[in-house]
Amino acid sequence: MDATALTDQFKLFLDVIDTGSFSAAGRLHALAPSSVSRRVDALERSLGCQLVSRSSHAIKPTAAGQAFAERARRIVQELQLARAEMTSLQSAPEGRIRIDAPAPFGRRHLAPALADFLQAYPGVDIQLRLIDSFVDMQGDHLGEVDLVLRIGPLADTRLVATPLAPMMRIVCASPSYLQRRGVPQTVAELPTHDGLDWDALAPPHAWRFEHEGKRQLLRPKRLRMVTNNAEALLTATLGGLGIAHLPTWLISDQLLRGDLLPLFCEHGLPEPEPSGIYALRLTREADSRSRLLLEFLKGRFGPVPPWDQALQSGLAFA
């Protein structure tokens, strides 16, 4: 049975339940009462249970019929939504999409992706606001904007999250720092080194490693710089001030050029973190423009992001 026939059959059954009459439901569908009755009979046979009790006064749902009606109503709504979505995607989208995103990720990866998206869909406009604070990344401005990009764990389960890309972090340092201070052979040596870290709002998975059979927090004791900005951490790491634990989306180019050296990667890239990069919105039914952009970004950044693909093929692990 195709989607249209299934929708029509379920809608007919729901109208029988709602009106309590084969005749009334038949008038809504231009069918004779006997034809409506036969179609309900066929539905009951296909499900193997009685859905309605028939009397001379009214048609009433059985317990099974009431339970099925609740599910059928949701199915009809979802099928109608899916049909509307496909129709909207086939037509040329128009209008504005408002986005908040972290500034470092936005400059490196999101802005180029949006430029390609706008080339493909000339009827769409984008308002992109790049922000340095983590506060807005919680979705505080949703309602004022359509989408918020968030990197890391999701604190507010009321928001609808679309995963865009996994998140991976590598311990790294500049060649000059390692020449001056030596290369740590294991994560247990990190506390003896100088470090660079986040100020206050440190990522929950940073500096956490499997060591001696358990997950441990191991990081440099002396922090030469703490900051709330990813690019500032990158600049300090490139300047040879210490060791940092930075995301691959931020440092892939520097690793490939040899400006930074990866540590503890003898067996390749580390496993992705439990949390990743998400697009947040307020409502489950995003508008057609936002849905189209989300599908575009999912294809652009996942399931293996281009920055991690480049590292997997171009980085020499020793």
Side-chain angles (χ1 to χ4, degrees):
M1 182 180 295
D2 62 32
T4 299
L6 181 65
T7 301
D8 291 343
Q9 184 175 19
F10 281 8
K11 287 176 67 177
L12 177 62
F13 168 71
L14 292 171
D15 286 336
V16 169
I17 297 299
D18 293 340
T19 63
S21 166
F22 289 148
S23 298
R27 286 193 293 272
L28 294 173
H29 294 262
L31 294 171
S34 58
S35 179
V36 176
S37 178
R38 286 195 298 272
R39 295 191 185 195
V40 173
D41 289 342
L43 182 60
E44 289 178 326
R45 287 194 300 273
S46 67
L47 295 173
C49 64
Q50 184 178 355
L51 298 176
V52 298
S53 61
R54 299 157 171 83
S55 72
S56 58
H57 301 293
I59 305 297
K60 294 184 178 180
T62 62
Q66 189 64 49
F68 179 75
E70 293 176 3
R71 290 188 177 274
R73 205 176 301 277
R74 291 196 294 269
I75 291 170
V76 169
Q77 291 171 348
E78 287 296 324
L79 286 172
Q80 290 173 335
L81 178 63
R83 186 179 292 111
E85 181 176 323
M86 293 305 101
T87 300
S88 68
L89 291 179
Q90 289 174 357
S91 61
E94 295 182 348
R96 174 175 292 184
I97 307 173
R98 303 163 301 171
I99 308 169
D100 277 5
F105 184 84
R107 280 190 286 267
R108 280 170 169 74
H109 304 292
L110 181 61
L114 293 179
D116 290 343
F117 178 81
L118 290 174
Q119 289 285 351
Y121 300 99
V124 176
D125 302 320
I126 286 179
Q127 176 185 320
L128 174 62
R129 182 169 58 178
L130 299 180
I131 51 182
D132 290 309
S133 170
F134 277 111
V135 175
D136 290 341
M137 292 296 98
Q138 302 295 339
D140 291 349
H141 287 169
L142 278 171
E144 301 173 20
V145 298
D146 302 299
L147 301 172
V148 166
L149 261 65
R150 176 79 166 93
I151 300 176
L154 301 176
D156 193 340
T157 57
R158 296 171 300 172
L159 302 178
V160 181
T162 299
L164 299 181
M167 174 75 168
M168 193 180 296
R169 201 177 302 271
I170 287 180
V171 180
C172 59
S174 69
S176 62
Y177 174 86
L178 296 175
Q179 184 176 11
R180 187 174 75 252
R181 294 292 306 275
V183 179
Q185 299 303 306
T186 71
V187 293
E189 296 178 37
L190 284 173
T192 67
H193 280 264
D194 295 340
L196 305 158
D197 205 1
W198 296 91
D199 181 19
L201 291 172
H205 302 293
W207 304 110
R208 283 163 173 81
F209 309 96
E210 292 293 331
H211 181 62
E212 296 181 342
K214 59 182 179 180
R215 194 79 168 166
Q216 297 188 40
L217 174 63
L218 295 165
R219 66 175 183 176
K221 285 187 176 180
R222 184 185 180 189
L223 298 178
R224 298 297 310 279
M225 176 187 287
V226 293
T227 178
N228 67 342
N229 182 272
E231 290 173 323
L233 282 178
L234 174 57
T235 299
T237 310
L238 290 169
L241 295 179
I243 295 175
H245 196 197
L246 298 175
T248 52
W249 62 258
L250 178 68
I251 60 172
S252 59
D253 289 343
Q254 289 76 15
L255 290 172
L256 291 170
R257 291 197 300 262
D259 297 334
L260 293 177
L261 299 179
L263 301 175
F264 319 124
C265 290
E266 296 83 1
H267 304 293
L269 297 177
E271 291 295 319
E273 296 180 357
S275 57
I277 302 171
Y278 304 91
L280 306 180
R281 63 184 189 275
L282 280 177
T283 59
R284 191 163 298 279
E285 287 78 24
D287 61 73
S288 60
R289 298 183 302 276
S290 296
R291 286 196 300 270
L292 192 63
L293 176 59
L294 289 172
E295 289 303 314
F296 180 87
L297 294 178
K298 285 165 61 178
R300 179 75 167 240
F301 296 147
V304 180
W307 51 87
D308 287 341
Q309 292 179 14
L311 290 176
Q312 288 173 345
S313 60
L315 190 61
F317 299 104

